[in-house]
Every structure is written in C-alpha cells, then in structure tokens.
C-alpha cells in the first residue's frame, strides 16, 4: 500500500475486477462450462458434460496452473495483476476453448492431475486424510 498508494491500489484492483468480469462473461458463452457462484477475481469453473479435471490437465499443458476443486468437481483461477497484461485474458479463454476441444476429441491425457482429483472425490474422508498425512510427512521429512 505504501508503494502503490491508494490511487495505485484502486487502479490495479479495478483492472483485476475488469479482467474477472471478462473471463466470467466469456466462460458463460462456452456451453460445456458453468461458473460456480458469483465470482469477482477467484473464478471457479465446472462442467456437467466433460470431466473438468481433464480440461484442467489440458490447460496445464498450455502453461495455465489452475487449482482443482473436489466438491463439486472443477478448477479455479485466482486472478492477479499479471492476468491484466495485454492479451492474457484472451489467451486464457482461447486456451480454455482448445482444452475443451482436446478433452472431447482426445479424452484424458496420459499425465496430469485428473486421476488424482477424480479418486479423491470418491474416497472416504478418513482414508483421504490418511493419504494426505503420509504425503505431507514425506514432503517435510524426506530423510526419514
């Protein structure tokens, strides 16, 4: 805040919200997708007709690092100032359309997070908690 000042902060905030509005409006034009909730800058996307994790994996191949959601299945993008740069929001929508096309025509890619997110949606909570505990323990205690 000290560096940007109130005026700079408000300018950036406005640009992020305008980018969010663009992405929400353009995503709503894609019949295979649906927006979850009434987002401003964290935009959650799902689908009733295509596995959203497969779309997310094809987006990852296009260098979009989205976050998977489990209930309901989907993914989200959290917009930052970098997303307001010229051409970024348009690239996101174009890549989203291409990823849907790939998901329909090619199916699930050979690598990605789709199988992991898909499995976690159906595992009992106690089993999922145990798996996550082991993963976290492994990440933070790699020499044990």
């Amino acid at each position: 805040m000290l560096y940007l000042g109130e005026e700079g902060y408000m300018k950036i905030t406005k640009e992020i919200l305008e980018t969010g509005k663009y992405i929400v409006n353009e995503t709503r034009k894609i019949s295979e997708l649906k927006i979850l909730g009434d987002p401003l800058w964290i935009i959650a996307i799902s689908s009733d007709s295509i596995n959203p994790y497969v779309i997310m994996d094809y987006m990852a191949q296009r260098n979009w690092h989205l976050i998977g959601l489990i209930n309901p299945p989907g993914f989200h993008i959290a917009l930052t100032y970098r997303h307001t740069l010229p051409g970024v929001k348009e690239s996101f929508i174009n890549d989203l359309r291409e990823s849907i096309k790939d998901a329909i025509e090619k199916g699930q890619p050979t690598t990605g997070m789709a199988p992991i997110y898909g499995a976690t949606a159906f595992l009992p909570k106690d089993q999922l908690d145990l798996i996550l505990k082991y993963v976290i323990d492994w990440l933070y205690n790699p020499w044990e």
Side-chain angles (χ1 to χ4, degrees):
M1 273 303 272
L2 292 176
Y3 176 77
L4 294 173
E6 184 176 344
E7 187 176 313
Y9 180 83
M10 294 302 287
K11 175 187 174 295
I12 289 171
T13 301
K14 182 179 182 214
E15 290 177 22
I16 291 171
L17 293 177
E18 286 172 356
T19 298
K21 190 177 204 177
Y22 174 87
I23 289 174
V24 167
N25 289 338
E26 291 301 309
T27 301
R28 284 191 172 128
K29 294 177 185 176
I30 302 172
S31 63
E32 295 88 354
L33 299 181
K34 64 181 180 179
I35 298 288
L36 301 176
D38 188 20
L40 295 173
W41 70 91
I42 300 175
I43 302 166
I45 300 170
S46 188
S47 177
D48 293 326
S49 60
I50 302 171
N51 183 337
Y53 306 132
V54 173
I55 298 168
M56 185 178 78
D57 283 345
Y58 281 113
M59 288 294 281
Q61 290 179 13
R62 292 173 168 86
N63 295 315
W64 293 100
H65 304 286
L66 306 171
I67 306 300
L69 306 171
I70 293 176
N71 191 12
F75 54 88
H76 82 264
I77 182 170
L79 300 176
T80 66
Y81 189 51
R82 296 182 80 191
H83 295 103
T84 69
L85 297 173
V88 174
K89 63 187 176 192
E90 294 85 1
S91 292
F92 179 81
I93 295 298
N94 289 335
D95 288 344
L96 191 55
R97 290 181 195 279
E98 289 299 312
S99 294
I100 291 167
K101 183 179 172 186
D102 285 346
I104 292 169
E105 293 176 2
K106 299 176 186 176
Q108 186 168 313
T110 56
T111 61
M113 296 298 295
I116 294 170
Y117 278 102
T120 60
F122 296 102
L123 285 173
K125 185 178 178 336
D126 61 330
Q127 290 179 11
L128 182 58
D129 289 347
L130 185 62
I131 291 168
L132 292 174
K133 178 194 178 309
Y134 284 122
V135 169
I136 296 298
D137 285 348
W138 172 76
L139 285 172
Y140 289 99
N141 297 305
W143 297 281
E144 290 184 8

